[in-house]
């Protein structure tokens, strides 16, 4: 076997060599169903599922559903769908922390029995005040020395629903002077009258994250419990609980969270983008969620390649969003069919081209992959070109169409602009009159004369009209999280909708299975939500300009 590529794999390999856990590898991915998965989760799953499969183990999907007020089934479904799309396999069933509510309750009683947990009647504010600070030790709760009998009685009655929400909690009895705040008698159960999406109203008490996580890992037989760095300080508590309960003890290992420039990753903030109507939902193509990326046209391969390239990192860092986009382009470049489409159409009339004539021009489907073959696109007297590809009064270095200048139409002919037609009232150019050179079919002049520019076009009569949505970054600031209020750094142009784009006729049959490069414009993908037969909507997945690759080449 080749040597491990990162410190987590090193640990796993050492454990395998030492036959720890009987040679088993089991990881888990524990999303809380309180939002959709995002690109950070994709990174975590690449590690959790990736390591399990590389070492012949399994990775459990376990919903960490201990917060009934924020969680729901919509999120559970979306998480499963996204994981499947990413290609992850969690065996025959998903697990839920709520499956273990009985076991966890039993574990809590065991701690009470051992004198290692007590019911505390301090208010949440008092608990906080008693906890002390990083520089000052905490103070013991006046309820800390309750007898085992009294604690058992009170905890049983908490479970029976006898007390008001917030009136009491169960705390682990560890050390109020510990330098680690997580060990200052952490709360492990709280009273909460909330209907749970799986257990309904069965439970008026719920375990905290810290209490549910390690014990659920243990019940499932997890060997390596891989999580993000913010849990490093929780590891002593994780270990303490498992040791006191004398149960199977998985090893918690932390890696650094993924941060991305121009991106917010907190689910709470993403939910507020949705609730405040800045986006149309969790799957709005501007969101950093997996479902948004899927809808926008990213491929799972591109997302996974990105995750692999980031790898397992121990220190917090911020990846550049250009890197993610680079992987998307690299993948789409290989698989996307090239087509011609005009986003902002300008009519071109070729005066010397016979009226009523149509020619089928041969066009290559993908120069990167000859096996994808070719197709034909119709050419006729009236075409559309991109408004940007024409200038009435261009600077010298403008190599596209302008009065008196000649350009090549991709897969078509050379044309020369003779005149323009303007709207009488607005002065706007509404039509460009050109002539073509019949000798240049296919883009070469027999006399060897050259043109500097090649532009794309569609035949006006044959084109399909579609809506195209162009996306830009959601935020104008590289670090939206650093802003006091992210509203101040929202990009007002994150979405530009173009309603009358003209596309080559074959795109009338476009389906979300197909991926396209509109030549010179980027990669585009049929929007699965808003498209209707005869009224397709395309999302621009990503433009063609690869600023990341360019920067790499320049040796940055
Ligand atoms: P948030 O704080 O936004 O609610 P979370 O970490 O609570 O996110 P979970 O659903 O608990 O979200 O995450 C499930 C798993 O994914 C955890 O193991 C978590 O560490 C990991 N994870 C979450 N965000 C990232 C990220 N940005 N990079 C890498 N892993 C992440
Ligand atoms: Mg969490």
């Amino acid at each position: 076997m080749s040597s491990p590529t990162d410190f987590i794999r090193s640990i796993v390999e050492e454990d395998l060599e030492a036959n720890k856990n009987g040679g088993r590898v089991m990881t888990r991915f524990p999303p809380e169903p309180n939002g959709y998965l995002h690109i950070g989760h994709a990174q975590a799953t690449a590690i959790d599922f990736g390591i399990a499969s590389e070492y012949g183990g399994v990775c459990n999907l376990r919903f960490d559903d201990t917060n009934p007020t924020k969680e729901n089934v919509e999120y559970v479904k979306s998480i499963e769908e996204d994981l499947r799309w990413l290609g992850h396999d969690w065996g025959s069933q998903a697990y839920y922390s709520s499956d273990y509510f009985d076991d966890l309750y039993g574990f809590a009683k065991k701690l009470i029995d051992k004198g290692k947990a007590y019911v505390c009647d301090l208010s949440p504010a008092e608990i906080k005040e008693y906890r002390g600070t990083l520089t000052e030790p905490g103070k013991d709760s006046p309820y800390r020395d309750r007898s085992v009998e009294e604690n058992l009685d009170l905890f049983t009655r908490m479970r029976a629903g006898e007390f008001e929400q917030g009136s009491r909690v169960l705390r682990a009895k560890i050390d109020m002077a510990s330098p680690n705040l997580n060990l200052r008698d952490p709360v492990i159960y709280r009273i909460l009258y909330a209907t749970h999406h799986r257990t309904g109203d069965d439970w008026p008490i719920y375990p905290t994250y810290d209490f549910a996580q390690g014990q659920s890992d243990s019940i499932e037989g997890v060997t390596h419990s891989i999580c993000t760095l913010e849990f490093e300080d929780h590891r002593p508590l994780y270990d303490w609980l498992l040791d006191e309960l004398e149960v199977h003890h998985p090893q918690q290992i932390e890696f650094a969270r993924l941060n991305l420039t121009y991106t917010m990753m907190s689910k709470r903030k993403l939910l507020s983008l949705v609730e405040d109507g800045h986006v149309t939902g969790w799957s709005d193509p501007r969101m950093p969620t997996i479902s948004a990326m899927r809808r926008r046209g990213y491929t799972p391969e591109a997302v996974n390649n990105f995750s692999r390239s980031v790898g397992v990192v121990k220190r917090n860092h911020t990846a550049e969003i250009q890197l993610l986009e680079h992987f998307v382009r690299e993948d789409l470049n290989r698989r996307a069919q090239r087509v011609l489409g005009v986003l902002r159409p300008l009519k071109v009339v070729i005066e010397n081209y016979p009226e009523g004539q149509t020619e089928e021009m041969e066009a290559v489907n993908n120069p990167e992959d000859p096996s994808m073959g070719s197709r034909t696109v119709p050419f006729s007297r009236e075409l559309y070109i991109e408004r940007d590809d024409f200038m009435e009064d261009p600077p010298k270095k403008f190599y596209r169409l302008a009065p008196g200048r000649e350009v090549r139409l991709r897969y078509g002919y050379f044309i020369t602009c003779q005149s323009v037609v303007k709207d009488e009232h607005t002065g706007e150019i509404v039509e460009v009159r050109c002539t073509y050179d019949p000798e240049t079919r296919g883009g070469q002049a027999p006399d060897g004369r050259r043109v500097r520019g090649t532009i794309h076009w569609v035949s006006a009569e044959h084109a399909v009209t579609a809506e195209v949505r162009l996306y830009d970054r959601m935020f104008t600031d590289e670090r939206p999280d650093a802003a006091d209020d992210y509203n101040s750094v929202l990009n007002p142009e994150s979405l530009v909708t173009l309603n009358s784009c003209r596309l080559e006729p074959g795109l009338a049959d476009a389906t979300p299975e197909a991926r396209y490069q509109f030549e010179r414009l980027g990669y585009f993908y049929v929007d699965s939500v808003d498209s209707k037969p005869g009224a397709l909507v395309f999302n621009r997945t990503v433009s063609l300009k690869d600023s990341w690759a360019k920067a790499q080449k320049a040796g940055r």
Side-chain angles (χ1 to χ4, degrees):
M1 191 179 272
S2 59
S3 62
T5 48
D6 58 71
F7 74 95
I8 301 184
R9 286 174 171 85
S10 300
I11 294 172
V12 172
E13 288 190 16
E14 277 164 28
D15 290 349
L16 280 173
E17 240 157 68
N19 203 34
K20 193 175 163 186
N21 305 304
R24 259 177 350 105
V25 173
M26 184 191 273
T27 59
R28 89 286 174 265
F29 176 64
E32 182 177 358
N34 63 348
Y36 281 54
L37 296 186
H38 53 55
I39 185 72
H41 294 112
Q43 166 73 7
T45 62
I47 297 171
D48 297 333
F49 287 93
I51 288 182
S53 86
E54 282 163 43
Y55 294 99
V58 290
C59 176
N60 286 352
L61 167 60
R62 183 196 323 130
F63 290 100
D64 168 32
D65 56 347
T66 52
N67 250 327
T69 54
K70 298 211 171 102
E71 297 160 3
N72 71 50
V73 179
E74 176 199 345
Y75 296 136
V76 169
K77 288 201 175 123
S78 76
I79 289 170
E80 292 191 338
E81 189 183 356
D82 292 346
L83 289 174
R84 251 180 244 119
W85 184 76
L86 286 169
H88 298 313
D89 175 12
W90 55 91
S92 54
Q93 68 166 114
Y95 297 88
Y96 295 82
S97 297
S98 57
D99 293 343
Y100 312 131
F101 280 172
D102 281 320
D103 305 273
L104 296 170
Y105 180 68
F107 284 143
K109 290 217 283 205
K110 182 167 174 184
L111 286 181
I112 296 174
D113 272 333
K114 288 182 73 174
K116 299 289 183 177
Y118 61 98
V119 173
C120 179
D121 303 355
L122 291 178
S123 69
E126 287 166 330
I127 290 184
K128 201 165 166 221
E129 186 197 318
Y130 275 60
R131 186 182 301 141
T133 64
L134 281 173
T135 49
E136 280 165 56
K139 277 193 300 189
D140 284 359
S141 159
Y143 305 98
R144 199 171 199 263
D145 293 320
R146 275 178 163 154
S147 68
V148 169
E149 290 68 35
E150 189 183 1
N151 281 320
L152 271 181
D153 173 60
L154 287 172
F155 187 54
T156 312
R157 289 165 61 197
M158 276 169 68
R159 196 267 173 266
E162 286 187 28
F163 307 123
E164 255 176 69
Q165 185 165 312
S167 60
R168 298 198 152 90
V169 292
L170 183 70
R171 301 175 71 173
K173 189 171 178 176
I174 310 179
D175 178 7
M176 288 307 291
S178 170
N180 184 335
L181 268 63
N182 293 302
L183 295 180
R184 293 186 189 170
D185 293 8
V187 173
I188 58 177
Y189 260 96
R190 67 236 196 262
I191 300 172
L192 190 61
Y193 293 99
T195 304
H196 187 283
H197 66 102
R198 285 176 63 86
T199 58
D201 295 320
D202 288 355
W203 291 87
I205 55 173
Y206 290 92
T208 55
Y209 172 88
D210 279 321
F211 193 65
Q213 199 56 217
Q215 281 50 255
S216 300
D217 286 348
S218 177
I219 292 168
E220 289 171 12
V222 167
T223 58
H224 301 85
S225 178
I226 303 165
C227 61
T228 38
L229 222 47
E230 71 272 22
F231 295 108
E232 195 170 22
D233 290 344
H234 295 239
R235 184 169 8 107
L237 175 57
Y238 184 98
D239 291 338
W240 185 91
L241 287 166
L242 292 168
D243 287 342
E244 290 296 340
L245 291 167
E246 298 161 76
V247 289
H248 164 67
H249 194 145
Q251 181 179 1
Q252 178 180 306
I253 309 170
E254 308 86 17
F255 68 96
R257 246 169 208 270
L258 172 76
N259 298 300
L260 256 193
T261 55
Y262 297 101
T263 306
M264 286 191 321
M265 218 83 92
S266 140
K267 283 189 276 186
R268 183 178 54 79
K269 289 184 183 170
L270 295 178
L271 177 63
S272 86
L273 282 177
V274 174
E275 286 180 337
D276 296 348
H278 296 303
V279 291
T280 55
W282 284 93
S283 305
D284 184 299
R286 291 167 289 181
M287 293 283 272
T289 57
I290 303 304
S291 62
M293 292 180 184
R294 175 168 62 239
R295 181 171 167 192
R296 185 157 163 173
Y298 286 24
T299 60
E301 291 80 2
V303 174
N304 287 327
N305 287 343
F306 166 75
S307 298
R308 264 193 294 274
S309 89
V310 171
V312 181
V313 190
K314 185 78 195 181
R315 215 166 292 146
N316 278 317
H317 66 119
T318 301
E320 286 185 60
I321 195 161
Q322 289 89 338
L323 179 64
L324 172 60
E325 292 168 346
H326 166 75
F327 281 104
V328 174
R329 285 189 190 94
E330 192 185 59
D331 188 42
L332 292 178
N333 181 38
R334 263 191 302 257
R335 65 170 84 214
Q337 175 174 337
R338 275 53 171 172
V339 291
L340 300 179
V342 172
L343 300 185
R344 296 174 178 89
L346 174 63
K347 178 76 87 52
V348 167
V349 178
I350 303 174
E351 293 172 329
N352 60 340
Y353 194 86
E355 263 180 74
Q357 176 173 310
T358 304
E359 283 177 81
E360 292 294 332
M361 314 303 275
E362 179 150 357
V364 175
N365 283 339
N366 187 343
E368 300 287 322
D369 180 1
S371 77
M372 286 175 71
S374 63
R375 68 194 186 286
T376 59
V377 287
F379 186 91
S380 66
R381 181 180 153 91
E382 297 199 356
L383 312 174
Y384 287 111
I385 63 166
E386 208 67 61
R387 207 158 258 284
D388 283 357
D389 283 335
F390 179 82
M391 276 185 90
E392 193 180 16
D393 189 14
K396 239 198 155 89
K397 292 227 156 144
F398 184 79
Y399 297 125
R400 293 166 275 163
L401 198 60
R405 295 195 189 174
E406 187 172 46
V407 297
R408 177 190 291 108
L409 294 177
R410 178 90 161 140
Y411 304 123
Y413 293 97
F414 286 12
I415 58 169
T416 305
C417 172
Q418 304 298 344
S419 62
V420 298
V421 179
K422 292 186 181 174
D423 182 292
E424 278 175 37
H425 305 289
T426 63
E428 189 195 9
I429 295 170
V430 292
E431 199 174 290
V432 178
R433 312 285 297 188
C434 295
T435 51
Y436 85 118
D437 177 352
E439 300 293 310
T440 56
R441 194 178 200 276
Q444 298 296 331
D447 63 5
R449 86 178 177 280
R450 292 175 180 272
V451 288
R452 297 293 290 268
T454 300
I455 65 175
H456 60 274
W457 54 275
V458 292
S459 165
E461 181 195 338
H462 303 91
V464 292
T465 302
E467 177 177 317
V468 168
R469 297 176 183 169
L470 304 177
Y471 300 100
D472 196 353
R473 313 223 181 287
M474 189 74 207
F475 300 100
T476 52
D477 195 300
E478 219 176 77
R479 291 175 192 274
D481 275 325
D484 292 338
D485 174 6
Y486 69 71
N487 283 286
S488 66
V489 293
L490 278 170
N491 178 4
E493 272 147 40
S494 59
L495 168 62
V496 172
T497 302
L498 302 172
N499 287 308
S500 52
C501 306
R502 301 293 159 77
L503 314 175
E504 65 171 73
L507 285 170
D509 303 321
T511 62
E513 285 79 53
R515 301 182 184 271
Y516 300 99
Q517 182 193 101
F518 292 7
E519 293 205 22
R520 300 176 65 222
L521 298 171
Y523 295 98
F524 293 79
Y525 190 62
V526 176
D527 187 86
S528 53
V529 178
D530 294 332
S531 290
K532 297 191 182 60
L536 291 177
V537 177
F538 285 84
N539 294 316
R540 178 151 75 184
T541 309
V542 67
S543 67
L544 290 177
K545 206 169 77 199
D546 193 336
S547 49
W548 186 83
K550 209 172 146 200
Q552 295 304 105
K553 261 198 197 136
R556 208 185 67 176

